[in-house]
Amino acid sequence: GIQNDNSNIPLDNDDNDKKKPNNNNVYYPNDYMDYLSVPFMEVNFNDLLKKNKDTVGWIKVEGTKVNYPVVQADNNDYYLNRSFNKKKNASGWVFADYRVSFDNFGKNTIIYGHNMNNKTMFGSIPSMLNNSYLKNSNKHYIKISTPNSNSVWKVFSIYTIKPEVYYLKTNFKSEPYDKFLNKIKKRSIYNFKTDVTSDDKIITLSTCDNTGSKRVAVH
């Protein structure tokens, strides 16, 4: 998704309100430029950080069941089999690539999660490949809250692909960023009619498809 950012939105600091996602039914406009009016999500991070200092944000993916705090370790293995409380758990947790920063977001901020059969974690992400999602422009938004900012991102590409590292790039010294953006946009199974340029920052969601042999990528 590409970013609509407002780092000056004040976050709720009421300790009695551990998390306060904005889940109200809201009309999401079809016009790309009007998506700036989509309300931000507010999350209180005080309690979350007390429970797990690895917390870097909260993600809500419209049209799916994804609505979780995001953690980050110093590698991409730790949260593959640990839950938010760091206890061993085959479901793992939703986690950010160790190379990215949620403080200011780089060119490609990558977030991973397991495709669980019970639709927890990123188990509902593959449903974004269905026409019921693709043709409903009201759902094409991802909200991210961090301790310092709130942002809304608009989906511009979704596809399945064999396991690879190309779309998981964070360094663009060997390839121009605009070339990378054009390539992952052309991969999309649906034309979201969203302009993306090298001035934009993007987020990437990555999980397994329902067969386990391929990956589902959402940008």
Side-chain angles (χ1 to χ4, degrees):
I2 63 170
Q3 178 190 28
N4 162 27
D5 179 61
N6 191 331
S7 300
N8 297 319
I9 296 293
L11 300 182
D12 190 335
N13 288 318
D14 184 353
D15 287 337
N16 294 321
D17 190 4
K18 296 180 181 179
K19 62 181 179 64
K20 188 181 177 183
N22 184 346
N23 293 329
N24 297 330
N25 291 323
V26 178
Y27 169 69
Y28 291 91
N30 294 330
D31 185 352
Y32 166 67
M33 293 306 296
D34 285 346
Y35 95 97
L36 297 175
S37 66
V38 175
F40 293 103
M41 176 176 60
E42 294 183 17
V43 177
N44 182 289
F45 284 95
N46 292 338
D47 192 65
L48 290 171
L49 285 165
K50 288 178 184 177
K51 292 179 178 178
N52 188 337
K53 63 180 178 58
D54 291 342
T55 304
V56 291
W58 188 289
I59 184 171
K60 176 175 174 57
V61 181
E62 297 293 343
T64 77
K65 296 182 178 181
V66 175
N67 193 20
Y68 295 106
V70 180
V71 291
Q72 185 180 37
D74 60 4
N75 62 76
N76 287 340
D77 296 324
Y78 187 82
Y79 283 103
L80 285 175
N81 57 4
R82 287 180 174 84
S83 60
F84 185 72
N85 61 13
K86 295 189 176 184
K87 292 183 178 179
K88 290 280 187 176
N89 190 315
S91 298
W93 200 256
V94 173
F95 67 95
D97 192 293
Y98 75 96
R99 300 168 296 172
V100 306
S101 171
F102 271 56
D103 289 337
N104 53 17
F105 297 108
K107 287 183 169 63
N108 186 18
T109 299
I110 306 159
I111 305 171
Y112 305 94
H114 284 311
N115 177 0
M116 302 303 297
N117 290 333
N118 62 6
K119 305 306 180 185
T120 58
M121 298 301 106
F122 274 5
S124 58
I125 291 293
S127 67
M128 298 171 76
L129 298 163
N130 301 334
N131 282 337
S132 58
Y133 173 87
L134 297 172
K135 294 185 177 181
N136 188 341
S137 58
N138 295 345
K139 296 179 179 179
H140 298 167
Y141 299 91
I142 298 172
K143 297 179 180 180
I144 293 181
S145 181
T146 78
N148 301 313
S149 69
N150 283 309
S151 54
V152 176
W153 306 68
K154 192 170 189 299
V155 176
F156 70 91
S157 179
I158 295 178
Y159 53 89
T160 59
I161 198 163
K162 291 181 180 179
E164 62 162 30
V165 296
Y166 180 79
Y167 72 94
L168 303 175
K169 291 175 61 171
T170 59
N171 186 311
F172 299 94
K173 292 181 179 179
S174 62
E175 178 187 31
Y177 183 49
D178 57 350
K179 182 178 179 181
F180 169 81
L181 292 175
N182 289 335
K183 186 169 182 176
I184 62 173
K185 185 176 182 179
K186 288 179 180 178
R187 288 180 172 186
S188 184
I189 63 171
Y190 183 79
N191 182 5
F192 290 92
K193 298 180 181 179
T194 301
D195 293 328
V196 187
T197 74
S198 57
D199 292 329
D200 292 314
K201 295 179 178 181
I202 72 167
I203 58 171
T204 293
L205 311 184
S206 181
T207 192
C208 290
D209 72 348
N210 291 334
T211 70
S213 63
K214 293 185 177 181
R215 301 291 180 262
V216 178
V218 177
H219 302 289

